[in-house]
Amino acid sequence: MNKDSRIFVAGHRGMVGSAIVRQLEALGHQNIITRTSSEVDLMNQSAVNAFFQEEQPEYVFLAAAKVGGIHANNVFRADFLYNNLMIEANVIKAAHDLKVKKLLFLGSSCIYPKFAEQPLKEESLLTGALEPTNEPYAIAKIAGIKLCEAYWDQFGDQFISAMPTNLYGPNDNYDLQTSHVLPALLRKFHQAKIDGDTTVECWGSGSPLREFLHVDDLAEACVFLMKAYNEKQFVNVGTGTDLSIKALAEMIQDVVGFEGSIVWNTDKPDGTPRKLMDVSKINQLGWRHQIDLRNGIEQVYQDFLQLELS
Ligand code: GFB
């Protein structure tokens, strides 16, 4: 991938896509192609084909997806399955037809079985039943991985996949119904502090374990893999360290400076008990995360305060 290569970042307005664009720009790439969904509807194969014909991208980062936290995944089940299947099938097929040199597809750690051995090794895919709250999303992401592998097998297309752990960072979703836990808790603790509330409600029991990666680290890993990785097997991307949701909540409470207490609403689902990535493969390839969780949360809290002011 040269500085003047034609690089399409699908999903450039989302948290992951925007981080990949920032990373490519920082590295001096000058031919980054982006389209909003109103300009090119990625759920429409002929629109995607026409766009690929016109722009002839050489490299594709496939970060466009319908995403959300545990509640959104569990409620909008058809949308999470259908939209993601359509987007990935259309983009991957067009990339094949237009002879894209390399494509990187982004999956998610929820592809692994609910009770897979921890830490999650790449080889654990399809060894057991999925977590029910995000089964539709996971099935769509597994289909995307398999589509890349099938194009690799049948045609020799260099279509690779990265599996990030739970992410956070700039351009995250702060809507309390559809967001992931980290932005939700930042917002809840901040609001409670401003309103002088004595309690904040968090979902579930607080006992599930999760791993969190700053999206700027993920973007660096994606560009690293695009340049250096040429194997069919997908690659986990994470920090290799997890913590309980309770410990996360206490860390966010401390960063925000909320002095009240936490109430756990066990009517809300816990989801997967644990999903810690085994990151030995990407570490051995030469990539390691840089941003420590506490510093990352402090950074995003500052971004959140700027958004509140604007
Ligand atoms: O981040 P999250 O929504 O997604 O929730 P998952 C993680 C944990 O935090 C769950 C708890 O145990 C939630 O019950 N939690 C506590 C909260 N308070 C809150 C809150 O206010 N909001 C939210 N959202 N959670 C998603 C999958 O699973 O992770 C997706 O559904 C995707 O498919 C994504 O893989 C990365 O980690 O449980």
Side-chain angles (χ1 to χ4, degrees):
M1 200 165 63
N2 302 318
K3 299 280 186 261
D4 58 354
S5 298
R6 302 180 64 74
I7 307 169
F8 173 41
V9 180
H12 73 289
R13 283 183 158 176
M15 181 170 71
V16 172
S18 59
I20 292 173
V21 169
R22 282 197 302 279
Q23 173 70 10
L24 290 169
E25 284 174 348
L27 292 170
H29 290 279
Q30 286 154 8
N31 243 328
I32 304 168
I33 305 160
T34 58
R35 288 291 188 281
T36 63
S37 55
S38 55
E39 289 165 340
V40 177
D41 177 6
L42 296 181
M43 289 178 47
N44 177 328
Q45 182 77 75
S46 49
V48 175
N49 291 349
F51 160 68
F52 269 72
Q53 279 284 358
E54 184 191 320
E55 289 291 349
Q56 306 273 336
E58 297 167 276
Y59 296 88
V60 174
F61 289 89
L62 180 38
K66 180 165 181 64
V67 298
I70 192 166
H71 178 72
N73 267 265
N74 203 17
V75 173
F76 304 113
R77 299 177 73 86
D79 294 344
F80 273 79
L81 182 51
Y82 179 78
N83 294 24
N84 286 311
L85 282 174
M86 294 301 285
I87 292 168
E88 66 205 25
N90 292 341
V91 174
I92 291 168
K93 176 70 162 63
H96 167 73
D97 289 347
L98 270 294
K99 301 191 168 36
V100 159
K101 288 181 184 158
K102 197 161 175 183
L103 174 146
L104 182 140
F105 171 67
L106 278 136
S108 161
S109 59
C110 70
I111 57 157
Y112 289 110
K114 176 168 183 165
F115 297 114
E117 192 186 322
Q118 306 281 329
L120 298 157
K121 291 192 184 357
E122 285 86 352
E123 294 73 26
S124 291
L125 183 69
L126 294 174
T127 55
L130 297 163
E131 153 62 26
T133 54
N134 59 33
E135 188 185 84
Y137 181 70
I139 296 270
K141 289 295 181 184
I142 293 169
I145 295 170
K146 291 294 168 189
L147 198 54
C148 290
E149 291 179 0
Y151 275 107
W152 187 295
D153 286 338
Q154 192 178 337
F155 300 102
D157 291 337
Q158 295 235 324
F159 293 172
I160 61 172
S161 301
M163 289 315 111
T165 190
N166 288 32
L167 301 168
Y168 69 97
N171 293 328
D172 210 339
N173 168 18
Y174 287 92
D175 178 305
L176 294 181
Q177 289 308 308
T178 57
S179 63
H180 291 96
V181 60
L182 197 155
L185 295 191
L186 264 181
R187 183 169 180 177
K188 285 183 183 179
F189 284 118
H190 175 74
Q191 200 57 47
K193 183 176 119 176
I194 301 294
D195 296 345
D197 294 343
T198 53
T199 58
V200 161
E201 184 194 284
C202 294
W203 296 353
S205 64
S207 65
L209 295 157
R210 292 290 184 274
E211 175 186 1
F212 295 91
L213 179 71
H214 193 286
V215 74
D216 287 347
D217 275 336
L218 172 71
E220 198 192 78
C222 289
V223 174
F224 168 80
L225 290 170
M226 185 66 106
K227 288 183 175 168
Y229 185 68
N230 294 310
E231 286 171 42
K232 189 174 73 170
Q233 168 73 272
F234 65 86
V235 187
N236 287 342
V237 188
T239 64
T241 311
D242 61 1
L243 78 174
S244 70
I245 294 299
K246 181 169 182 285
L248 175 78
E250 288 167 356
M251 192 184 281
I252 297 175
Q253 174 174 13
D254 192 47
V255 168
V256 171
F258 168 69
E259 288 177 352
S261 54
I262 301 171
V263 175
W264 294 96
N265 179 354
T266 49
D267 291 339
K268 299 281 187 188
D270 269 344
T272 312
R274 190 179 194 193
K275 39 180 177 176
L276 174 65
M277 293 291 216
D278 182 327
V279 287
S280 46
K281 184 170 173 133
I282 194 162
N283 286 170
Q284 276 159 20
L285 288 166
W287 179 87
R288 189 170 288 279
H289 80 286
Q290 301 290 327
I291 305 171
D292 129 273
L293 181 58
R294 169 90 195 197
N295 287 334
I297 292 174
E298 285 170 359
Q299 265 181 44
V300 286
Y301 185 46
Q302 291 310 313
D303 291 346
F304 174 81
L305 292 175
Q306 293 301 319
L307 278 177
E308 287 279 285
L309 290 174
S310 63

